Amino acid sequence: MTTKPEKRTSRSAKILYRPWGLAASIIGGIIAGQVFQQVWKRVDPEATDDPPKPLQSEYPLAKILVAALIQGAIFSVVRALINRGGARAFERWTGEWPGD
């Protein structure tokens, strides 16, 4: 198993990446929310409203936990894709990796 050499990051690259990373995170959250809504409609076809929230007493705990599990997985995957893609784009534009 070979590992790639670690890329160096300058302090200025980290600072310049912050606004880009923040914007990407907001857009990623919106996208993840839309994806979750569509997935939830398929998981629970009889649902007419939004997925259940923890404080809604009319839903059983199992349904709330399934919704939270799916939502968390989707948000984590979308966040990883957005962050990684944003970092790669930043590196192509500036020649520096913004992480670490």
Side-chain angles (χ1 to χ4, degrees):
M1 182 176 181
T2 61
T3 59
K4 292 183 179 181
E6 192 172 314
K7 298 178 182 183
R8 295 278 180 200
T9 302
S10 70
R11 186 178 185 137
S12 61
K14 288 181 181 182
I15 292 169
L16 289 172
Y17 182 72
R18 283 184 184 164
W20 170 258
L22 180 61
S25 293
I26 291 169
I27 292 168
I30 293 168
I31 292 169
Q34 294 300 317
V35 170
F36 174 61
Q37 291 288 340
Q38 295 304 312
V39 169
W40 185 252
K41 286 179 186 175
R42 288 173 177 75
V43 169
D44 189 9
E46 60 196 40
T48 57
D49 295 336
D50 291 333
K53 294 181 178 47
L55 297 179
Q56 291 178 308
S57 62
E58 64 269 21
Y59 296 105
L61 179 61
K63 191 174 216 177
I64 290 170
L65 292 177
V66 168
L69 177 71
I70 293 169
Q71 185 178 32
I74 289 171
F75 272 78
S76 293
V77 168
V78 169
R79 181 175 183 215
L81 288 171
I82 295 285
N83 285 342
R84 188 63 170 206
R88 287 191 186 268
F90 184 86
E91 182 184 33
R92 279 193 304 271
W93 295 332
T94 66
E96 291 192 60
W97 185 255
D100 303 329

